[in-house]
Every structure is written in structure tokens, then in C-alpha cells.
Amino acid sequence: MANFLYRLGHSSSRHPFVVIGAWLATLLIAGAAFLGFGGTLTDSFSIPGLETERVTDQLAEEIPDLVGGSSRAVFATEDGSPFTGTQKEQVSAALEAATEVSSVTGVIDPFATQAQLEEQMAQLEGAPQQIADAQAQLDDGQAQLDAAQEQLNAGQEQLDAARAQLEAGQQQLDAAIAEAQANGTYDFAADQFAQQQAEIDAGLAQLDSQQQQIDANQATIDEQQAQLDDGAAELAAQTEQLEFSTSLAEAASGISTVSEDGSAALGIIQFGTNVYEVVQEDKDAVLEAISSAPLDGVTVNFSADIATDVSGVLGIGEVVGVLLAFAVLLVMMRAILPAAQPILTSVIGVGVGVATALAFSDVVEMSSVTPVLGVMLALAVGIDYSLFIVNRHRKQVRTGMDVHESAGLANGTSGNAVVFAGATVIVALLALNITAIPFLGIMGTVAAFSVGIAVLTAVTLTPALLGLMGTRVLSKKDRASIGSAEHHEEPAKAMSTGRAVVSFVAAVAALLVIAIPALSMRLGLPDGSQEPTDSTQYIAYKTVGEKFGEGVNGTLLVTADLPEAVTDDDLLATQVELIDALMENEDIAAVAPAGVSEDNDFLAFQVIPVEGPSSESTVQLVHDLRAQSPLDDGTEIGVAGEASGNIDVSEKLDSVLPLYLAIVVGLSLIILIIVFRSLLVPVIATLGFVLSLFAAFGALTAVYQWGWLGSLFGVHDPGPILSFLPILLTGILFGLAMDYQLFLTTGMREAYVHGTPAREAVVAGLNHGRAVVTAAAIIMASVFGGFMFSHIALIRPMGFGLAIGVLFDAFVVRMLIMPSLMHLAGDKAWWLPKWLDRIVPDVDVEGAALERSHPVTHHYDDEDSSDAPVTAPADPAPASGTPEDDAKS
């Protein structure tokens, strides 16, 4: 590899315009591919298989109308007074204007909705009196019916008495007739008997007629009684429905579209798809349609899901970071051309890498963070990798080496280390795919690709530009002293053991103290409160929290999968029963029915937590609701919604962090054992990386979760740490830590295998690489630090974590802890068991063999690159792995 890179660097330096032209053509092609095929980025961070996704899929199947996305437009009067009639009409018209955008399926007018809610409440408030009046009418009717029944009963008694008298008269007449017939007097009294019989028959006929009238009246009373009973049953059902409706209204009393003081209103814009799938052009069109409408004395702000623009990857903060990097390079090199060269190389690499990756964003879903992470990493490592090669080249040119020979040799030595260091970063980033989290794997893959392009530009474009610059890679003062003895390094002296102990203890103690806040680190995704205080997203979020309650910003969608369908008559009772079960949780502020499936076997409810989406109580609420399932009757409870999804994503990422950390630590040990042919050095390097990583976690928690020094870093509303940031920091800082470990420890090993005592070799290696590693770390921290003030809320803590992690690892671990421990270990630092020594491949990372095969150097007498060759003695040191091998040679 070293010889190949030497030839590549040598050729590039002799044909700079070919290499530069090839890279510019590649940049143009990548840019054209992005413009032609690039798609839309998203702020969604979904993970397949999460509970929220399962419930959402079930909801889409059972109640499709609830799946479409929606965003908020938050209207507020400027003076805090209630909306006037004219202002209400203007708000309604502004929302209606948004329906002209093709992706908008409808809007919800806050005032019309609130009027409906108030009308329903008024009906509920008047219903008890209506029911009382109806009950009074029923009672009056029953009293009248009871009185009529009594009269009818009295008439029946009189009729029965009269009938009894007639029947007794009939018996007497029959007896008299029988007696008269027996004694032969019947003929004499026959007329009298006939008259009496006629009178009795007439009386009975009259009684029968009266009985028919009584029976008809009784039938009428029975019919009226049945009607009264039906009325009473209906009134009882209405009373029960009123009780249910009242319960629903009380549970939903915390949900409104107009604030209690009438000064704020929530307009809803509905989309046919998830909001994060809506193209930015449509989002901008909605914002423009509403914002440009006449709103006299009314302000309008929008929720983060529609107002956050993820189209840009660089802002003023990032530019300042690059300028700081240039300032560091200028101070280090004291010449404009070599100071600008690493930045130019890096920028071209960033353009090629990120544009190429974004060209695939139409076929692969990419989050808004993906290209920014690529820019951040490729820019930082691109500058550093080019710097390592340039620094080596400058040293060689100072000693008198030919420019093209030096460019090739620097590429074959430092460039070889750059390739190896870049490979460790790439492997760490690609390992993010092991987490089985798609968006994280895509982020890692894009970042790895961008770093790979940065490595390619470093080993091809850097030598080309070095060849083009010639001796102007040095300052004017240095050019005047090329080849002089002042450029040779002095022999190193070992540090004192006492200093090593103090440095080690103090550094470890400091990092452990800084790491303490990491013990309380909570993970989450940012909400509107993390946006800049003057942004529309932040104002909308805070207005909603102040006027409608914090929980409205974190609305949950709770589903109930019933064991069997219910009838329409029983639906309301079932909803009330479920709402009562939900409202037992004290972290719920309000609940309202949201939808019912066609079969009445699947219900959905809108649940408003007491606190915001990132609060601990809301996280606990989601867990508590899921723990309630199934209910006693077998009903299964599910929880969905954006807040629930964010919680699930954060917990999933938290669960895979230990696995990923174990993979990275194991990878670190294997790589370093191969590179340094030692057991103790890899252990020291790996433990140091873990220590700096947790210190970075602690600092991140203290600033962004606890709010310490918040004003300095723009943290106005502390909250949970970005859920995928710990994993990203682990992978990225591992790769960068190995870079610094490589450039410092290879110098120590090189000095050791060439016969320098172990402790002096530690200082020699430190002196050899300290300046360039210091500059590289400051540059990288500057670039990362520029992202702390990014316009994208997700990026700010990422920039801080990477910047502080690099500083901890480079200056505390690599320059204090690692040299101190290696000094204390002495020769044991380089011990490797013989059996392991036989199977570990010999990796010449620094290209020592290449240096021995290209020992000739030249110096220049003037600036015009005319050379007078001066042959220097070849380095007699062999490419051995131990001092014993050197002695044999």
C-alpha cells in the first residue's frame, strides 16, 4: 500500500492539472446527479417493528381517516385581546387559502370548531332541564291516568253491584214462576211474570252496554299507560345518554381550538400523507398561503413538522468553524497557500461525497441529518487528513528533499496512515448498520462514503496541489533555510515518573468527574422547544403550551381493540367505560373519542398528557397505558402518535448502544493489536477512548439536559439528549480517536524499534506528532463547533458532542493519559506473546520500509525550484518489529 501511494502521490504532483481537472469534473457530475435525481429529505426517524408502528398500521386498516398527517397554524392576537369578528373571518380565510396546495386535503377552522363545541356544551347544559320538564309531564300524565283509572274502577264496582241485584231478582222471579207452576197459579200471574222478566232483561242489556263502555275506557287507559311507560323508558335512556355525554364532555374539557381568554387559536392543516413525506415545496406553499393572507393585528406561527426547513446543510456557524480552521492552519504554517490547501481539498471532497449521496435520496429515505453529518465529518477529517500529508511534506522539503519526491514519500508514509485511519472511521460508521435501525444505517453509510471520498482527495488531490505549489508550501523564511541543520529534531528526554503519575491521576479524575452527568442521561427527539427562540416553530410551541397546555404539544393516539363488536346503542357506554379507565392515570389531562371502525370493534381516542412530549411523565404515561393492556374484559390497548413514536425510537436506540459500544471496543482492540503488535498499548488506547467517550456524554448531558452554560451554547430549554447521538458519537469518536492514537503512537513505536529506550521513545513520538495532532484536533473541534449553532436543532448537540469529545480525547487521553501510562509501563508496553506475534500480520502503517528505500533528499538554493542535489546517507534501520531484530541486522 505504501509503495502504491508513493507512486500515486509522485505522479499526482507531477501532473497536477490532470488530477485537479478530474476532481472538478467529478464534482460537476456529482452536482448534476444531485440536481437531476435528488429527492426529499425527512425529519422522521421511524424504526420497523416498534409498538407505535404496529398500532399505526392497525389504525390505518381499521380507521383509515385518522392516518393522514396534520400540522398546526397557531394564531394569536398581537395585543392579547380576544379575536374580533373581522379577525376571525381573516383567520378562516387564511386557512382556506391553504387548500389550494395540492397535498392539502382540508383545514379545520378553529372558530367554527369551537362554536360547535360550545353549542354541544350548551345543549348538554340545557339537557338536564329538558329532561326534568319531560319527567314532570310524564308525572302529570301518570297522575291523570291514575285518577281516570280510579273513576273507572268505581264505575265498574257500581256496575257489578247493579248486575248482582238484577241477577238476584232473576233468581227470585225464577223461584216464583216455579212455585206458581207447581200450585197451578202460573196462568193467572203469567203477564206479571213476563213484565218482570222484561224489566230484568232490559236492566241486564243496559248493564252490558255500560260494561262495554267501561271496557273501552279501560283499553284507552291501558294504551295511555303503555305510552307513558315508553316515554319513561325513553326518558331514562336519554338520561343515561346525557350522563355518558356529560362524562365525555368532562373528559374532553381540556381540548379546545380557541384559548380560554380568546386570544389564541389552533388551525389545523390536513395532508393526505404523513407530514414528513410532504415535499418541501408544498410545505413552503402552505406557509406562504397562510402568512401572506391579510391578518390585521394577528400573528401566525407554525409547528415544527411543517416549518422546519431541512434543505440547507451549511449556515453561518459552520462557515465560522471553517474560518477558524483556516486561522489555525495559517498560524501553524505561516503561509496562505499551504493553509488554504487542506480546506480547498476538503471542500471538494465534501461536495463530491455529499452530492453523490444525495443523488440517491429519491430512492433511499434519508433524514435531514444524513447529509449534514456527511458534511460535518468529511469536512473535518478531510482537512485533518490533508494536513497530515502536508505537514510531512513540509518537513521533508525543509530538509532539502525534491518537491515531487517529497510529495510521493509523504503520500506513501503519512498518506498510508491516513488511509488506515480513514478505514477505521469508515468501518466504525458502517458498523452502525449492525444496529438494524434503517435511518441510522443510512446515516452511517453516507458518512462513511463521504469519509472515503475525503481519504481519496487527501491522497490524490493533496499531492497534486503540493506539486503545483512547489517550495511555496513553506513560508518565505523557511524557504530561505532549506536543508539547514536547524530543521533536524533534537534527541528526546524521558519525562519524570512523578510527572507521569500526576498527569495520569489528574487527567483520569477530571474525565471521571465530567462523566458523572452521563449517569442521568435521558434520550429523546427534539421538539419545538429546542428551536431558536425567534423561530416560528419555537413561538408556536410555546404559545400552545401557555394557552392550551403543554400536553397538547405531545398528543397521543390511544386505540382499543375490543374482544367483540358492540351495537350502536352500546357504543357510547363503551367509550365512556374506556375513557374512565384511561382517566385513572393522573398524567392524563384530557381524553376525547377520535374514531370508530365500521364494525364497532376498534375505537380510537385522542389523549392529552399533562406535560410535554419530552417530559418524564409523558414517557411514563406511554408505558403505563401499555401496561394496562389487556383490560379485564380482554380489550387490548395500543398507543401511537408522534410523541409515542419518539419514545419508542429513543428506547430502541438506548437498548442497542451497549451492543454497538462492545463491537467498537472489540474492533479497537483488534485493530490496534495488528498495528502496534502490542497488548498493553491497545488496552490503554481503548480504555482511554471509553473514558473520553463517557466524559463527552457527561458534558453533553450537563449542557443540553441540565442546562449548564446554556446561554453560552444557545440552550434555552434543556431537554433529553438526541436519541441517536450516543451511538453516533461512539462510532465517530472511535474513528477519530484511533486517528490521533495512530499518529502519536506510531512515532513512539518507530523510535522504539530503532533502538530508542522505551521511555525516551514515548517522548520522541509525542514530540514528533504533538504539533500536527494539536492543530488537527483544534481544526476538527472548530469545524464541529461551528455546527453547534446550526439552523437545524438536531445538529447543534451533535456538533457540541463531537467537538468536546475530540478535545477530551486528543488533549487529555492521547497527550496526557496515554503517554503517562506508557512511560510507567516501559518496555512492557510493547510486549506481545510469541504465539500471537506469529499470527498477527506485519502492518507498516507509517511506511518505514518506503522511507528506507527513498533516502535521497535535495535542497533548493532559491525559490524558483532550481535544485542542487545533495545526497544524504540512507537510514540503515531495518523494517523490524523489535529492538532485538534491529540488533541482528
Side-chain angles (χ1 to χ4, degrees), residues 555-596:
T555 302
L556 301 174
L557 202 57
V558 176
T559 62
D561 192 356
L562 306 180
E564 59 182 22
V566 297
T567 64
D568 291 340
D569 293 337
D570 294 334
L571 178 60
L572 192 59
T574 302
Q575 289 177 321
V576 170
E577 183 179 353
L578 289 170
I579 287 177
D580 289 343
L582 296 177
M583 289 296 291
E584 291 177 2
N585 195 308
E586 61 183 11
D587 291 323
I588 292 180
V591 181
V596 181

Short mmCIF file of all heavy atoms in Angstrom, two decimals, residues 555-596:
data_model
loop_
_atom_site.label_atom_id
_atom_site.label_comp_id
_atom_site.label_asym_id
_atom_site.label_seq_id
_atom_site.Cartn_x
_atom_site.Cartn_y
_atom_site.Cartn_z
N THR A 555 -49.68 15.21 21.90
CA THR A 555 -50.92 14.43 21.86
C THR A 555 -50.64 12.96 21.50
O THR A 555 -49.88 12.67 20.58
CB THR A 555 -51.89 15.04 20.84
OG1 THR A 555 -52.15 16.39 21.22
CG2 THR A 555 -53.20 14.26 20.82
N LEU A 556 -51.28 12.06 22.24
CA LEU A 556 -51.17 10.63 21.97
C LEU A 556 -52.45 10.12 21.31
O LEU A 556 -53.53 10.70 21.50
CB LEU A 556 -50.95 9.84 23.26
CG LEU A 556 -49.71 10.20 24.09
CD1 LEU A 556 -49.71 9.44 25.40
CD2 LEU A 556 -48.44 9.91 23.30
N LEU A 557 -52.34 9.05 20.55
CA LEU A 557 -53.49 8.40 19.94
C LEU A 557 -53.57 7.01 20.54
O LEU A 557 -52.70 6.16 20.30
CB LEU A 557 -53.32 8.33 18.42
CG LEU A 557 -54.59 8.16 17.59
CD1 LEU A 557 -55.57 9.29 17.88
CD2 LEU A 557 -54.26 8.14 16.11
N VAL A 558 -54.59 6.79 21.36
CA VAL A 558 -54.75 5.51 22.07
C VAL A 558 -55.87 4.71 21.40
O VAL A 558 -56.94 5.25 21.12
CB VAL A 558 -55.07 5.74 23.55
CG1 VAL A 558 -55.34 4.42 24.26
CG2 VAL A 558 -53.92 6.46 24.23
N THR A 559 -55.60 3.44 21.14
CA THR A 559 -56.58 2.58 20.48
C THR A 559 -57.07 1.51 21.45
O THR A 559 -56.36 1.13 22.39
CB THR A 559 -55.98 1.90 19.24
OG1 THR A 559 -54.89 1.06 19.65
CG2 THR A 559 -55.47 2.94 18.26
N ALA A 560 -58.29 1.04 21.20
CA ALA A 560 -58.89 -0.03 22.00
C ALA A 560 -59.44 -1.09 21.04
O ALA A 560 -60.38 -0.82 20.30
CB ALA A 560 -60.00 0.51 22.89
N ASP A 561 -58.83 -2.24 21.05
CA ASP A 561 -59.26 -3.36 20.21
C ASP A 561 -60.18 -4.24 21.05
O ASP A 561 -59.72 -4.99 21.93
CB ASP A 561 -58.04 -4.14 19.72
CG ASP A 561 -58.39 -5.13 18.62
OD1 ASP A 561 -59.60 -5.26 18.29
OD2 ASP A 561 -57.47 -5.80 18.09
N LEU A 562 -61.49 -4.14 20.82
CA LEU A 562 -62.47 -4.83 21.65
C LEU A 562 -62.50 -6.32 21.36
O LEU A 562 -62.27 -6.75 20.22
CB LEU A 562 -63.87 -4.23 21.41
CG LEU A 562 -64.00 -2.71 21.59
CD1 LEU A 562 -65.44 -2.28 21.32
CD2 LEU A 562 -63.57 -2.29 22.98
N PRO A 563 -62.80 -7.14 22.37
CA PRO A 563 -62.89 -8.60 22.14
C PRO A 563 -64.04 -8.96 21.20
O PRO A 563 -63.97 -9.97 20.50
CB PRO A 563 -63.10 -9.17 23.54
CG PRO A 563 -63.61 -8.03 24.36
CD PRO A 563 -63.01 -6.80 23.78
N GLU A 564 -65.09 -8.14 21.18
CA GLU A 564 -66.20 -8.35 20.24
C GLU A 564 -66.87 -7.01 19.97
O GLU A 564 -66.78 -6.08 20.78
CB GLU A 564 -67.21 -9.36 20.78
CG GLU A 564 -67.82 -8.97 22.10
CD GLU A 564 -68.79 -10.01 22.63
OE1 GLU A 564 -68.68 -11.20 22.21
OE2 GLU A 564 -69.64 -9.66 23.47
N ALA A 565 -67.51 -6.92 18.82
CA ALA A 565 -68.13 -5.65 18.41
C ALA A 565 -69.30 -5.31 19.34
O ALA A 565 -69.93 -6.18 19.94
CB ALA A 565 -68.61 -5.75 16.97
N VAL A 566 -69.58 -4.01 19.45
CA VAL A 566 -70.71 -3.54 20.26
C VAL A 566 -71.75 -2.92 19.32
O VAL A 566 -71.44 -2.52 18.20
CB VAL A 566 -70.25 -2.50 21.30
CG1 VAL A 566 -69.29 -3.12 22.29
CG2 VAL A 566 -69.61 -1.29 20.63
N THR A 567 -72.99 -2.86 19.79
CA THR A 567 -74.06 -2.25 18.99
C THR A 567 -73.93 -0.74 19.04
O THR A 567 -73.22 -0.18 19.90
CB THR A 567 -75.43 -2.67 19.52
OG1 THR A 567 -75.58 -2.16 20.86
CG2 THR A 567 -75.55 -4.19 19.55
N ASP A 568 -74.65 -0.09 18.14
CA ASP A 568 -74.63 1.38 18.14
C ASP A 568 -75.18 1.93 19.45
O ASP A 568 -74.72 2.97 19.93
CB ASP A 568 -75.45 1.91 16.97
CG ASP A 568 -74.80 1.62 15.63
OD1 ASP A 568 -73.57 1.36 15.63
OD2 ASP A 568 -75.49 1.64 14.60
N ASP A 569 -76.18 1.24 20.03
CA ASP A 569 -76.76 1.70 21.28
C ASP A 569 -75.78 1.62 22.44
O ASP A 569 -75.82 2.43 23.36
CB ASP A 569 -78.02 0.88 21.61
CG ASP A 569 -79.15 1.12 20.61
OD1 ASP A 569 -79.13 2.19 19.97
OD2 ASP A 569 -80.01 0.24 20.46
N ASP A 570 -74.90 0.63 22.38
CA ASP A 570 -73.95 0.43 23.48
C ASP A 570 -72.61 1.13 23.23
O ASP A 570 -71.72 1.08 24.09
CB ASP A 570 -73.69 -1.07 23.68
CG ASP A 570 -74.94 -1.80 24.17
OD1 ASP A 570 -75.78 -1.14 24.80
OD2 ASP A 570 -75.06 -3.02 23.91
N LEU A 571 -72.44 1.76 22.07
CA LEU A 571 -71.15 2.34 21.72
C LEU A 571 -70.75 3.44 22.69
O LEU A 571 -69.60 3.49 23.17
CB LEU A 571 -71.20 2.89 20.29
CG LEU A 571 -69.93 3.59 19.80
CD1 LEU A 571 -68.74 2.62 19.82
CD2 LEU A 571 -70.13 4.15 18.39
N LEU A 572 -71.68 4.34 23.00
CA LEU A 572 -71.36 5.46 23.88
C LEU A 572 -70.97 4.98 25.27
O LEU A 572 -69.99 5.47 25.86
CB LEU A 572 -72.55 6.42 23.96
CG LEU A 572 -72.29 7.78 24.61
CD1 LEU A 572 -71.21 8.53 23.86
CD2 LEU A 572 -73.58 8.60 24.66
N ALA A 573 -71.70 4.00 25.76
CA ALA A 573 -71.37 3.45 27.08
C ALA A 573 -69.99 2.82 27.08
O ALA A 573 -69.22 2.95 28.05
CB ALA A 573 -72.43 2.43 27.50
N THR A 574 -69.65 2.14 26.00
CA THR A 574 -68.33 1.51 25.89
C THR A 574 -67.23 2.57 25.87
O THR A 574 -66.18 2.42 26.51
CB THR A 574 -68.25 0.66 24.62
OG1 THR A 574 -69.29 -0.33 24.65
CG2 THR A 574 -66.90 -0.04 24.51
N GLN A 575 -67.46 3.66 25.12
CA GLN A 575 -66.47 4.73 25.07
C GLN A 575 -66.26 5.34 26.45
O GLN A 575 -65.12 5.60 26.86
CB GLN A 575 -66.91 5.80 24.07
CG GLN A 575 -66.82 5.37 22.61
CD GLN A 575 -67.33 6.43 21.67
OE1 GLN A 575 -68.32 7.11 21.95
NE2 GLN A 575 -66.67 6.57 20.52
N VAL A 576 -67.36 5.57 27.16
CA VAL A 576 -67.25 6.15 28.50
C VAL A 576 -66.50 5.22 29.44
O VAL A 576 -65.63 5.65 30.23
CB VAL A 576 -68.65 6.46 29.06
CG1 VAL A 576 -68.56 6.84 30.54
CG2 VAL A 576 -69.30 7.58 28.28
N GLU A 577 -66.80 3.93 29.35
CA GLU A 577 -66.12 2.97 30.20
C GLU A 577 -64.62 2.96 29.95
O GLU A 577 -63.81 2.93 30.89
CB GLU A 577 -66.71 1.57 29.94
CG GLU A 577 -66.13 0.48 30.83
CD GLU A 577 -66.76 -0.87 30.56
OE1 GLU A 577 -67.72 -0.94 29.77
OE2 GLU A 577 -66.26 -1.87 31.11
N LEU A 578 -64.22 3.02 28.67
CA LEU A 578 -62.81 3.03 28.33
C LEU A 578 -62.14 4.34 28.75
O LEU A 578 -61.01 4.35 29.26
CB LEU A 578 -62.63 2.80 26.83
CG LEU A 578 -62.95 1.39 26.32
CD1 LEU A 578 -62.98 1.36 24.80
CD2 LEU A 578 -61.92 0.40 26.85
N ILE A 579 -62.85 5.45 28.55
CA ILE A 579 -62.29 6.74 28.94
C ILE A 579 -62.10 6.81 30.45
O ILE A 579 -61.09 7.33 30.95
CB ILE A 579 -63.19 7.89 28.43
CG1 ILE A 579 -63.03 8.05 26.92
CG2 ILE A 579 -62.85 9.19 29.15
CD1 ILE A 579 -63.91 9.10 26.31
N ASP A 580 -63.07 6.27 31.19
CA ASP A 580 -62.92 6.24 32.65
C ASP A 580 -61.68 5.44 33.06
O ASP A 580 -60.96 5.83 33.99
CB ASP A 580 -64.17 5.64 33.30
CG ASP A 580 -65.37 6.56 33.21
OD1 ASP A 580 -65.16 7.77 32.96
OD2 ASP A 580 -66.51 6.08 33.37
N ALA A 581 -61.44 4.34 32.33
CA ALA A 581 -60.26 3.53 32.63
C ALA A 581 -58.97 4.30 32.32
O ALA A 581 -57.99 4.23 33.08
CB ALA A 581 -60.30 2.22 31.84
N LEU A 582 -58.98 5.05 31.23
CA LEU A 582 -57.80 5.84 30.87
C LEU A 582 -57.57 6.99 31.85
O LEU A 582 -56.44 7.28 32.23
CB LEU A 582 -57.95 6.39 29.44
CG LEU A 582 -58.01 5.36 28.30
CD1 LEU A 582 -58.24 6.07 26.98
CD2 LEU A 582 -56.72 4.56 28.25
N MET A 583 -58.65 7.65 32.24
CA MET A 583 -58.54 8.83 33.09
C MET A 583 -58.10 8.49 34.51
O MET A 583 -57.82 9.40 35.30
CB MET A 583 -59.87 9.58 33.13
CG MET A 583 -60.23 10.28 31.83
SD MET A 583 -59.08 11.61 31.39
CE MET A 583 -59.47 12.82 32.67
N GLU A 584 -58.00 7.22 34.83
CA GLU A 584 -57.47 6.85 36.14
C GLU A 584 -56.00 7.22 36.26
O GLU A 584 -55.46 7.32 37.36
CB GLU A 584 -57.65 5.35 36.37
CG GLU A 584 -59.10 4.92 36.55
CD GLU A 584 -59.24 3.42 36.72
OE1 GLU A 584 -58.18 2.73 36.74
OE2 GLU A 584 -60.37 2.93 36.85
N ASN A 585 -55.34 7.41 35.11
CA ASN A 585 -53.94 7.80 35.12
C ASN A 585 -53.85 9.31 35.36
O ASN A 585 -54.39 10.11 34.60
CB ASN A 585 -53.29 7.43 33.77
CG ASN A 585 -51.78 7.47 33.84
OD1 ASN A 585 -51.20 8.46 34.26
ND2 ASN A 585 -51.15 6.38 33.41
N GLU A 586 -53.13 9.70 36.38
CA GLU A 586 -53.05 11.11 36.76
C GLU A 586 -52.23 11.96 35.80
O GLU A 586 -52.28 13.18 35.88
CB GLU A 586 -52.48 11.23 38.17
CG GLU A 586 -51.07 10.69 38.30
CD GLU A 586 -50.53 10.76 39.72
OE1 GLU A 586 -51.32 11.05 40.63
OE2 GLU A 586 -49.32 10.54 39.90
N ASP A 587 -51.49 11.32 34.90
CA ASP A 587 -50.70 12.08 33.93
C ASP A 587 -51.48 12.43 32.67
O ASP A 587 -50.91 12.96 31.72
CB ASP A 587 -49.45 11.28 33.54
CG ASP A 587 -48.45 11.17 34.68
OD1 ASP A 587 -48.32 12.15 35.44
OD2 ASP A 587 -47.84 10.10 34.84
N ILE A 588 -52.79 12.13 32.66
CA ILE A 588 -53.64 12.48 31.52
C ILE A 588 -54.47 13.71 31.86
O ILE A 588 -55.12 13.76 32.90
CB ILE A 588 -54.57 11.30 31.15
CG1 ILE A 588 -53.74 10.14 30.59
CG2 ILE A 588 -55.61 11.73 30.13
CD1 ILE A 588 -54.56 8.93 30.19
N ALA A 589 -54.41 14.70 30.97
CA ALA A 589 -55.17 15.93 31.18
C ALA A 589 -56.55 15.86 30.54
O ALA A 589 -57.52 16.41 31.07
CB ALA A 589 -54.41 17.12 30.62
N ALA A 590 -56.68 15.19 29.40
CA ALA A 590 -57.96 15.14 28.69
C ALA A 590 -57.97 13.95 27.74
O ALA A 590 -56.93 13.51 27.25
CB ALA A 590 -58.21 16.44 27.91
N VAL A 591 -59.18 13.45 27.48
CA VAL A 591 -59.38 12.34 26.54
C VAL A 591 -60.64 12.64 25.74
O VAL A 591 -61.65 13.10 26.28
CB VAL A 591 -59.54 10.98 27.25
CG1 VAL A 591 -59.71 9.86 26.22
CG2 VAL A 591 -58.36 10.70 28.15
N ALA A 592 -60.61 12.34 24.45
CA ALA A 592 -61.78 12.53 23.60
C ALA A 592 -61.81 11.43 22.54
O ALA A 592 -60.77 10.99 22.06
CB ALA A 592 -61.74 13.89 22.91
N PRO A 593 -63.03 10.93 22.21
CA PRO A 593 -63.12 9.93 21.13
C PRO A 593 -62.59 10.51 19.83
O PRO A 593 -62.82 11.67 19.50
CB PRO A 593 -64.63 9.65 21.05
CG PRO A 593 -65.17 10.06 22.38
CD PRO A 593 -64.34 11.22 22.82
N ALA A 594 -61.84 9.70 19.07
CA ALA A 594 -61.25 10.17 17.81
C ALA A 594 -61.79 9.42 16.60
O ALA A 594 -61.73 9.94 15.49
CB ALA A 594 -59.74 10.04 17.86
N GLY A 595 -62.32 8.22 16.80
CA GLY A 595 -62.82 7.46 15.66
C GLY A 595 -63.28 6.08 16.07
O GLY A 595 -62.93 5.56 17.14
N VAL A 596 -64.11 5.48 15.20
CA VAL A 596 -64.66 4.14 15.44
C VAL A 596 -64.61 3.38 14.12
O VAL A 596 -64.91 3.95 13.06
CB VAL A 596 -66.12 4.20 15.96
CG1 VAL A 596 -66.65 2.78 16.22
CG2 VAL A 596 -66.21 5.05 17.21
#
